[in-house]
Amino acid sequence: MYHGREWGKVCHLRYDTLAQMLTLGNIRAGSKVIVFETCAGLVLGAVMERLGGYGTVIQMYPGGGPTRAGMESFGFPPHFHDTLYEFPLCKMNALLGGKLDLESKDMDTNHSSGSPDESSDRIEDPSESGPREEASPLTQEMETSSEVPGVKVDEEDRKERERRREMKSQEKKLKMEEKRRKLALAAAQLEGRNADGLVIASRFHPCPVLLGLLKFLSPSRPFVVYCQYREPLIECYTKLREQGGVVNLHLSDSWLRHYQVLPNRTHPVLLMSGGGGYLLTGTTVAMDAPKTSGQPKTEEPSAKRMKLQEAEGSA
C-alpha cells in the first residue's frame, strides 16, 4: 500500500529492497536489533515480524517521539510490544560518553529555547486540542481583574478549575515518569554494546548516524544502510574504510522489472520504478587498542633472558 500510494512516506523504499535488508541484516528470532528509520514505522514493523516476538528491538528516533503508524498496522499481539524499546537519537552521545542523566531538569520542564536536546524532550498530549488548563500568573491576573467589584465569584467553578489543573499536573507528572522509565530501560539495553544487528533507513544523511550507532554493535555483526541516493552511501563507505573496524563492505542497488503476460504478447510493464534505492552492507570486527609511544617493550623470554644474564656475568 505504501509503495503504491504513498511512496514518499517510506523514502521510496521498494518491497524487494526491504526483503534484502532483512536478509543481509541477519534479522532472526532471538536477536537484539537497533533500528533507525523514518519510513513511518514500516521497517520497524518488518523487523518485529521477522523476530516473531523473540528478541529485542531498540528504535532510535529523531525529534520528540517515535513514529509507528506503519508498525501499528501489522496488528501484532501484545507480547510483541514487550520486546520494543525506544531511545532518542539526541542522547546517543551522552550515553556513549557515560553522561546520560535521567534525573535532569530537562526531563521535567519544557524550555522555549531551540536546542535539539530540549526540544526533543517535550511531551504534548495530542488529545488536548484546546487551550491548556494550566493558568499562568498573567492568566490568573487577568481572571482576577475581570471580576466585577461587588459580584461574588462562584466558589464551585473556582474549585472545579483548580481540580482540573491538579489533574492535568498529575497526568503530566505520570507521563514524565513513564518517559523516564522507558529511557532507562532502553539505555540499559544499549549500555552493553552487544547488539546483533543494525538497520538504517532514513531521509537524513546516514554517515553521522551510522558512525555513532556502530559503537553499540558486537564484533562480527552485520549492518545495513538504505538510502534513496548513492552519494551519501559512498561517503559512508569512504569514512568506514578510513577509520576501520568493519570488513566486507559492499554497496549495491536492487533492480526489479514487472512483465505483463498476455496471449501471444509478453512485454515489460511500461510504467515501473526506475530504481529501488541503494544498500550499504558490512560486518563489524574488533579493533586492537592503539599502542602509545611510551608503552614499555615486551619482556624477553625467560630462557633468552637467562642466557643474556650469564653472558653479562662472564663479561
Side-chain angles (χ1 to χ4, degrees):
M1 186 276 292
Y2 276 112
H3 178 266
R5 297 185 179 182
E6 297 174 321
W7 206 2
K9 287 189 176 181
V10 295
C11 301
H12 295 262
L13 179 64
R14 206 166 54 191
Y15 40 85
D16 61 311
T17 307
L18 177 59
Q20 291 188 42
M21 292 174 62
L22 299 177
T23 302
L24 296 173
N26 195 24
I27 309 301
R28 54 182 174 79
S31 301
K32 179 188 289 189
V33 185
I34 301 176
V35 179
F36 176 71
E37 56 109 333
T38 57
C39 300
L42 177 64
V43 178
L44 176 65
V47 171
M48 292 180 63
E49 184 182 29
R50 183 64 64 90
L51 291 180
Y54 300 95
T56 304
V57 182
I58 306 170
Q59 182 186 12
M60 310 292 292
Y61 63 88
T67 303
R68 297 173 178 173
M71 183 270 292
E72 293 173 355
S73 301
F74 279 78
F76 293 131
H79 72 274
F80 274 59
H81 299 272
D82 297 338
T83 64
L84 178 59
Y85 299 86
E86 58 188 46
F87 193 84
L89 191 67
C90 60
K91 298 184 181 295
M92 178 183 65
N93 293 331
L95 181 61
L96 289 172
K99 301 178 181 179
L100 182 63
D101 186 10
L102 299 178
E103 302 296 333
S104 62
K105 294 182 180 180
D106 295 339
M107 298 288 295
D108 301 326
T109 58
N110 293 335
H111 300 278
S112 59
S113 60
S115 64
D117 291 345
E118 295 172 352
S119 62
S120 62
D121 288 339
R122 300 176 185 174
I123 294 183
E124 296 182 359
D125 190 354
S127 62
E128 299 176 3
S129 57
R132 296 188 178 182
E133 298 293 339
E134 299 158 348
S136 62
L138 179 60
T139 306
Q140 294 177 356
E141 182 179 353
M142 292 175 62
E143 291 178 356
T144 305
S145 62
S146 62
E147 298 175 0
V148 181
V151 179
K152 186 178 180 180
V153 180
D154 191 356
E155 294 294 334
E156 293 183 359
D157 293 344
R158 177 175 296 179
K159 291 180 179 179
E160 182 67 19
R161 288 196 298 268
E162 291 178 357
R163 187 179 66 84
R164 286 200 299 265
R165 284 197 294 267
E166 184 67 22
M167 290 178 60
K168 295 293 182 181
S169 178
Q170 291 295 331
E171 290 178 2
K172 183 179 179 181
K173 185 178 180 180
L174 291 176
K175 289 178 183 178
M176 298 308 301
E177 290 295 332
E178 180 67 14
K179 181 181 180 182
R180 190 178 289 110
R181 184 185 68 84
K182 291 182 178 180
L183 186 65
L185 291 175
Q189 293 289 335
L190 291 171
E191 283 177 349
R193 302 191 182 187
N194 56 353
D196 298 319
L198 172 63
V199 179
I200 298 177
S202 170
R203 66 177 183 271
F204 302 109
H205 198 291
C207 192
V209 178
L210 175 62
L211 296 179
L213 294 180
L214 277 178
K215 300 176 183 178
F216 295 108
L217 289 183
S218 296
S220 187
R221 297 297 189 273
F223 63 90
V224 184
V225 185
Y226 165 80
C227 188
Q228 183 183 356
Y229 308 103
R230 180 177 56 183
E231 288 75 15
L233 295 183
I234 293 177
E235 182 178 347
C236 294
Y237 183 95
T238 306
K239 289 292 182 66
L240 291 175
R241 289 292 299 271
E242 291 177 355
Q243 78 170 18
V246 295
V247 295
N248 197 23
L249 284 175
H250 187 62
L251 179 60
S252 62
D253 63 332
S254 58
W255 188 74
L256 179 69
R257 167 171 284 186
H258 291 274
Y259 280 86
Q260 183 181 18
V261 180
L262 296 173
N264 298 326
R265 57 189 185 275
T266 299
H267 58 81
V269 178
L270 299 179
L271 299 178
M272 58 183 180
S273 61
Y278 299 87
L279 293 177
L280 176 64
T281 60
T283 306
T284 60
V285 294
M287 296 182 62
D288 295 335
K291 296 181 179 180
T292 58
S293 58
Q295 185 176 1
K297 296 182 179 180
T298 57
E299 296 184 357
E300 299 289 344
S302 57
K304 185 176 181 180
R305 187 166 59 251
M306 292 176 60
K307 291 182 179 180
L308 290 175
Q309 292 176 357
E310 292 177 357
E312 291 177 356
S314 60

